Amino acid sequence: MSDPFGTAELRVALLDAWRRSPTRLIEDAATEADHVRGGYRDRVFTELVQNAADAANRAGVAGVVSVWADGESVHVANTGEPIDRTGVESLASLRASRKDVDSVGRFGVGFTSVLSVSDDVEIRSQSGSVRFSAALTKSELSAVGITAEKVPVLRLAWPSDAAVRTGFATEVVLHDVRGGARNLLRQFTDQVFDLLLELPSIASITVDGQTFERRERALGNGLTEVVIADRVWWQFVGPHARWLLPIIAGRPVASAPDVLRAPTRSDEELTLPVIVIGSPSLQPDRRRILPGSRVEHLMDGYGQFAAALPSEDRLVVVPRARFARGDIDALLREAALQQLQTSAWLPVVGSDDPVRPGRAVVLPGLSAELEDVLADTVDGLIAADLSGRHQLAALRAVGAHEVGLARLADLLSGLDREPGWWRRLYDSVEPLVVDAVAVEELGGLPVPLADGRTVTGPRTTLLPSDLPDDPALANVHWARLVHPDAAHPLLARLGAAPVNAAGLLSDPALEQLVLDGEDVADVVLVLAAAVADEELPTWLGLVELADDDGDHRPADELLLPDAPLRSLLSVDAPFGTVADDLVHRFGAGVLRKLGVGWSFLVVRDESPTGPDHELPDEEQWWAQCADEPETLAAVRDLDLIDDTAWEEAISVLANDPETASIVADRAGYTAWWLRNHGVIGDRRLGAFCDPRDPVLAGLLDPYPGVVVVPALLASLDDLDADFAQLLVDRLANESRTPNPAAIVRVHTVLATAVAEGRLEPMDIHLPDRVRAIDGSLVNADDAIVLDQPWLASVVPASRLVVSGLSTAGVLAHLLDLPLASNVVSAQIVSAGVKTLWANEPEFVLDAVARGIDLPSGPVVVHDDLVVKVSGAVDGTFSVREWVDEAGVTNLCRRR
């Protein structure tokens, strides 16, 4: 058997050394065991693939590794440079490993990792094959008289005739694998992806027939796409390290917590969002960084990596806030953040060049729509796809300046933009206003007004509601009206109050402008046209409009050209005619809302405090009111009606829905004024009665007009001194024909007014004659006021003046007439029978028939009740009833 690597000489020399120094044997066995249990545990496949990578690099070929099982043996073959004598010597020396600058590890101490799975290892190569075996070593030691419990496996090598598999340079065979060959293959499969990433000189690895290839594709900007099977990474090569990001669904994502790859996996745990692969100085077992070694340089150029990524994915590389997993992790995290803070990589709106984070500002929650609006407004604004609230922590970590809604409002202050731009801004900002804090922060948001101004803060503005689209609204300078093109619901959430045309026309600021005589006619008319049924303030009647002479007069001093009121006014009424062009532009209805006359105008006051409405004789009406009115609704300018037009005026007032209820209110100012000042012929309206009035129709003239409004005519409910005098005079007028009921009613009303103090007798001029109950006129000297009902049976009706018996004394005082009981004396001359009311069937039946209670006490019954009368009346009379001086009732039986 050939021995190309001189293994026989190596065995002889080593056996001789062990014989001379048994301690050396023990030390070699212990050292090998330490390597297996310590630094190279779980690194079998890693160490073998590292050796394959070195072999490929030396040969300048793409590394190919193949792994398969043969029974319980596992074969690991690779392409590249075959093993040489120096390599075998390195393996057998245990303490030496040939290294080049470009080497990862080539059959050095790391090869001892194979002993964790097998004590019988064979290396087959195109240059020859060797075998290491614990059994062979023990046999060799026994042959030379050395006994050892534990022996080093990789010290004694034997030549082998086994050939390497065709197509490969070297093949490592692990015989009799502990734990089973299939289980080891599964472990190797799990490590394939890491090794292909870490060792780019390895192009493919095949395990148990399944091939994993590493494919690369340049993406531009220094990025390389690395694909292994169905997994993808993006790689960027820095000066001292490579960084990789996993790709999921075409987008880079942060790597899970990992370890530093140097270039294969070390024990230095990392929390960086990228896989870091470099070549730092490691301890001999390649698990830890050599103490004192500099590692920060591994992150040099990291900012360039961020800049190479698509703009929307750049924050993926920012280390998230978390506790470092060790000193190395802390150093690399800090170095990565420093690189990101000092490099230009953040994309900003409106620029093709990225900026350093310190020169960028982030508005959390920025949308694409808001980004578009703010593109030329906020310098250094980070793009929307990097401004999500979940990305804010990363931006803070690299030093980007955060701006809240309050700061945004400040930045927008003083901007000159057209109203539509502001509406787009409000629409884009609205999704960010999620709570009361956001509302407060936007308290200083600029708002463009209809008059061209831009003011600070929505709370002082008014949002147009159902306003017309008319250029005249630009003249609404008395109110902070938001420009219609900028109006947006967000402003209402920020405190702007909705306002419609009626609200603008009711503004006290407009009233002051009108009082100051400012020309606001056009805008007021446009707003009035937009008002539906709301009642407008009466002071809008002071708005000056053009008349048909080209002059300007208050609206309430103008009439429409065809106004019905024109024919009712006196010739000296101070009204002009509104200009025709205003009628054509706005229509009669709009002009009437401002007070331009068509029919009678109305004054309304829901809370009047006094007679201050410039109504004629208003003070007199106010004084005669028993209680101050709670509301006031009155027709204006009644004093301008021509004296010959009152019948027509009453008809107009009664048929106009605006005034009909007002003139029908007897207690109101309008009905009061018309009763006292409206004149038909030579009589005031209050001297006429309703033709249907059963009491007054026989005393007063009926109203001659077609339309009768009772509230404007005489009523016994409105008795004053003048009306009382009229009634007294009409009762004494022989041309009047009141019926008995009317006579009694009028007398009772007059007496009641005196009794209640509403009428003073001295204010009434008494006529020579008075009206008796039978309708006849009787000289006052012959008249008697009935105060006891039984006296009516002996006093002629032609002499009796009658009211309600309770007011007889007051009526006698008013008319200066005697009471009947004072001027008539009587004595009962017939004999009667004294009995009780309850004993007389006739009286009981009479009470039942009339529905009254039967009187109690005594009653005197006569067959013929006869009284003898003296005084104002003399004679003897048969009567039905009489009350004697004792107060006892005397009655005559019915026959």
Side-chain angles (χ1 to χ4, degrees):
M1 179 183 299
S2 63
D3 187 6
F5 303 121
T7 60
E9 292 85 352
L10 292 175
R11 289 196 306 277
V12 170
L14 189 56
L15 287 171
D16 183 58
W18 285 346
R19 278 195 301 270
R20 291 194 305 267
S21 177
T23 303
R24 172 78 176 273
L25 173 62
I26 296 172
E27 289 177 349
D28 285 351
T31 299
E32 187 178 81
D34 287 344
H35 287 317
V36 173
R37 292 192 303 268
Y40 296 101
R41 67 187 183 279
D42 304 326
R43 291 180 62 89
V44 179
F45 198 40
T46 298
E47 294 297 331
L48 294 178
V49 176
Q50 281 181 335
N51 290 337
D54 278 341
N57 283 333
R58 291 181 178 280
V61 298
V64 176
V65 175
S66 183
V67 182
W68 67 93
D70 181 8
E72 289 304 316
S73 296
V74 172
H75 298 249
V76 181
N78 63 269
T79 58
E81 184 183 78
I83 190 172
D84 58 14
R85 184 184 181 95
T86 304
V88 173
E89 291 175 352
S90 295
L91 286 173
S93 66
L94 186 63
R95 298 177 178 84
S97 175
R98 191 185 76 175
K99 294 278 187 168
D100 289 338
V101 175
D102 297 330
S103 295
V104 175
R106 186 173 186 276
F107 292 119
V109 177
F111 191 72
T112 57
S113 61
V114 299
L115 300 180
S116 64
V117 296
S118 175
D119 289 337
D120 189 353
V121 180
E122 188 175 7
I123 301 174
R124 301 171 182 175
S125 183
Q126 293 172 348
S127 57
S129 302
V130 295
R131 186 172 185 176
F132 298 92
S133 169
L136 291 176
T137 300
K138 287 181 179 180
S139 176
E140 190 76 14
L141 288 174
S142 178
V144 297
I146 299 175
T147 302
E149 182 179 352
K150 294 182 179 180
V151 298
V153 178
L154 297 180
R155 297 307 308 277
L156 300 180
W158 285 267
S160 171
D161 290 335
V164 64
R165 173 172 282 196
T166 303
F168 294 94
T170 302
E171 177 183 343
V172 176
V173 183
L174 307 174
H175 295 287
D176 299 321
V177 172
R178 290 189 292 275
R182 307 308 304 177
N183 183 52
L184 186 61
L185 289 184
R186 284 193 293 273
Q187 295 178 28
F188 285 2
T189 302
D190 292 340
Q191 301 174 47
V192 166
F193 288 95
D194 282 335
L195 292 170
L196 286 174
L197 283 181
E198 296 161 352
L199 305 170
S201 59
I202 301 298
S204 70
I205 298 177
T206 300
V207 180
D208 197 24
Q210 182 179 4
T211 299
F212 300 87
E213 293 184 346
R214 172 193 175 100
R215 291 178 286 111
E216 294 188 359
R217 179 172 66 93
L219 300 177
N221 295 332
L223 288 175
T224 301
E225 181 183 72
V226 178
V227 180
I228 302 172
D230 59 349
R231 296 168 65 178
V232 182
W233 294 261
W234 284 354
Q235 174 180 274
F236 190 89
V237 180
H240 306 291
R242 292 182 288 127
W243 306 292
L244 293 103
L245 279 172
I247 305 300
I248 304 296
R251 299 285 300 277
V253 298
S255 171
D258 196 51
V259 294
L260 175 63
R261 317 293 181 101
T264 55
R265 296 175 65 86
S266 70
D267 286 349
E268 300 291 358
E269 295 185 79
L270 300 182
T271 59
L272 290 167
V274 297
I275 297 171
V276 182
I277 304 176
S279 299
S281 299
L282 296 175
Q283 295 180 19
D285 60 4
R286 305 190 63 78
R287 287 186 177 270
R288 294 287 182 182
I289 297 293
L290 194 64
S293 297
R294 180 175 177 269
V295 295
E296 297 91 329
H297 69 289
L298 293 177
M299 304 312 292
D300 288 353
Y302 193 64
Q304 298 173 21
F305 178 27
L309 294 170
S311 61
E312 65 272 19
D313 297 318
R314 294 180 186 179
L315 292 180
V316 173
V317 301
V318 178
R320 298 299 188 264
R322 60 177 61 186
F323 291 111
R325 294 191 173 181
D327 294 340
I328 300 302
D329 187 29
L331 288 172
L332 291 182
R333 286 173 58 85
E334 183 178 352
L337 286 173
Q338 184 178 16
Q339 288 287 320
L340 293 172
Q341 291 164 357
T342 57
S343 302
W345 60 276
L346 268 179
V348 294
V349 178
S351 174
D352 294 332
D353 298 322
V355 301
R356 295 194 305 273
R359 299 184 62 183
V361 296
V362 57
L363 176 61
L366 180 72
S367 64
E369 293 77 13
L370 184 55
E371 172 190 311
D372 182 59
V373 175
L374 298 177
D376 60 347
T377 302
V378 180
D379 293 334
L381 182 64
I382 296 174
D385 48 20
L386 294 181
S387 298
R389 297 190 182 278
H390 64 286
Q391 299 165 307
L392 189 56
L395 291 170
R396 287 171 177 163
V398 296
H401 299 288
E402 181 181 352
V403 297
L405 294 178
R407 178 57 180 157
L408 176 63
D410 290 341
L411 293 173
L412 297 174
S413 179
L415 282 183
D416 182 16
R417 296 288 190 274
E418 50 90 17
W421 183 90
W422 288 104
R423 179 178 176 84
R424 289 192 294 120
L425 172 73
Y426 304 148
D427 196 56
S428 303
V429 168
E430 186 175 29
L432 302 181
V433 186
V434 296
D435 53 26
V437 174
V439 170
E440 188 65 28
E441 288 181 334
L442 287 176
L445 190 66
V447 182
L449 302 183
D451 62 7
R453 294 177 294 159
T454 299
V455 297
T456 300
R459 288 189 182 91
T460 62
T461 63
L462 299 173
L463 274 173
S465 175
D466 299 325
L467 291 181
D469 183 11
D470 195 292
L473 292 186
N475 296 321
V476 181
H477 55 278
W478 66 85
R480 290 190 165 196
L481 179 66
V482 177
H483 195 288
D485 292 343
H488 190 276
L490 173 63
L491 297 179
R493 294 179 59 193
L494 299 180
V499 68
N500 55 17
L504 290 174
L505 291 174
S506 302
D507 196 317
L510 174 60
E511 180 180 10
Q512 189 59 51
L513 293 178
V514 172
L515 293 175
D516 292 342
E518 187 163 337
D519 182 11
V520 292
D522 276 359
V523 65
V524 167
L525 287 168
V526 168
L527 290 172
V531 175
D533 298 327
E534 295 95 335
E535 201 162 298
L536 297 180
T538 56
W539 50 258
L540 286 174
L542 299 176
V543 174
E544 294 195 348
L545 304 178
D547 63 13
D548 56 359
D549 292 328
D551 296 326
H552 286 77
R553 303 176 67 173
D556 58 8
E557 294 182 11
L558 295 170
L559 297 175
L560 288 164
D562 54 348
L565 187 60
R566 295 178 64 84
S567 62
L568 303 178
L569 298 176
S570 61
V571 294
D572 57 348
F575 282 97
T577 303
V578 72
D580 287 339
D581 70 304
L582 290 180
V583 179
H584 294 152
R585 285 172 58 194
F586 297 102
V590 174
L591 293 169
R592 288 180 63 181
K593 290 178 184 178
L594 259 64
V596 175
W598 171 260
S599 185
F600 292 96
L601 298 181
V602 173
V603 175
R604 296 186 186 275
D605 188 346
E606 296 300 324
S607 301
T609 57
D612 53 4
H613 303 87
E614 299 183 2
L615 298 169
D617 306 305
E618 185 182 5
E619 295 84 355
Q620 297 178 31
W621 171 75
W622 196 277
Q624 62 84 45
C625 290
D627 298 307
E628 290 190 356
E630 294 183 0
T631 60
L632 174 70
V635 179
R636 278 185 46 187
D637 304 320
L638 293 174
D639 56 333
L640 302 180
I641 301 299
D642 189 84
D643 287 342
T644 64
W646 279 110
E647 286 189 36
E648 183 181 356
I650 298 301
S651 179
V652 171
L653 288 167
N655 289 300
D656 187 342
E658 182 76 8
T659 58
S661 61
I662 295 175
V663 298
D665 179 13
R666 173 170 287 276
Y669 162 82
T670 302
W672 172 85
W673 194 93
L674 289 172
R675 289 196 304 271
N676 288 281
H677 300 282
V679 176
I680 294 181
D682 58 351
R683 302 179 191 174
R684 62 185 182 89
L685 287 174
F688 294 96
C689 70
D690 186 337
R692 299 161 295 184
D693 191 318
V695 175
L696 297 179
L699 293 173
L700 304 181
D701 291 336
Y703 175 69
V706 175
V707 179
V708 177
V709 182
L712 307 183
L713 305 175
S715 170
L716 292 176
D717 295 333
D718 295 324
L719 190 68
D720 58 15
D722 291 339
F723 190 29
Q725 184 66 62
L726 177 63
L727 291 174
V728 170
D729 291 342
R730 292 296 173 85
L731 283 170
N733 190 324
E734 62 183 6
S735 65
R736 304 296 170 172
T737 58
N739 60 43
I743 295 170
V744 173
R745 174 64 177 151
V746 173
H747 280 152
T748 301
V749 169
L750 290 170
T752 300
V754 173
E756 293 177 352
R758 294 183 287 111
L759 180 64
E760 292 292 336
M762 65 181 63
D763 292 335
I764 302 301
H765 174 71
L766 298 177
D768 294 334
R769 296 187 296 178
V770 294
R771 186 72 65 170
I773 186 64
D774 64 353
S776 63
L777 290 172
V778 58
N779 288 329
D781 293 338
D782 296 328
I784 300 173
V785 175
L786 180 67
D787 61 333
Q788 294 178 343
W790 55 87
L791 293 177
S793 61
V794 298
V795 180
S798 60
R799 293 182 63 189
L800 281 179
V801 177
V802 182
S803 70
L805 293 178
S806 63
T807 60
V810 180
L811 180 63
H813 176 62
L814 172 64
L815 298 180
D816 195 19
L817 300 175
L819 289 172
S821 61
N822 291 334
V823 295
V824 176
S825 298
Q827 181 180 3
I828 299 174
V829 296
S830 60
V833 178
K834 192 172 184 179
T835 183
L836 296 174
W837 289 90
N839 294 337
E840 296 296 320
E842 177 183 351
F843 301 153
V844 174
L845 288 173
D846 184 62
V848 171
R850 291 194 292 166
I852 63 174
D853 292 334
L854 182 69
S856 61
V859 61
V860 179
V861 181
H862 300 257
D863 290 331
D864 183 13
L865 177 56
V866 179
V867 296
K868 183 177 181 181
V869 180
S870 62
V873 177
D874 290 321
T876 300
F877 301 90
S878 292
V879 296
R880 169 66 180 152
E881 178 182 0
W882 201 268
V883 179
D884 61 23
E885 293 178 354
V888 177
T889 301
N890 290 260
L891 293 174
C892 179
R893 292 184 186 278
R894 293 178 180 172
R895 295 183 176 85

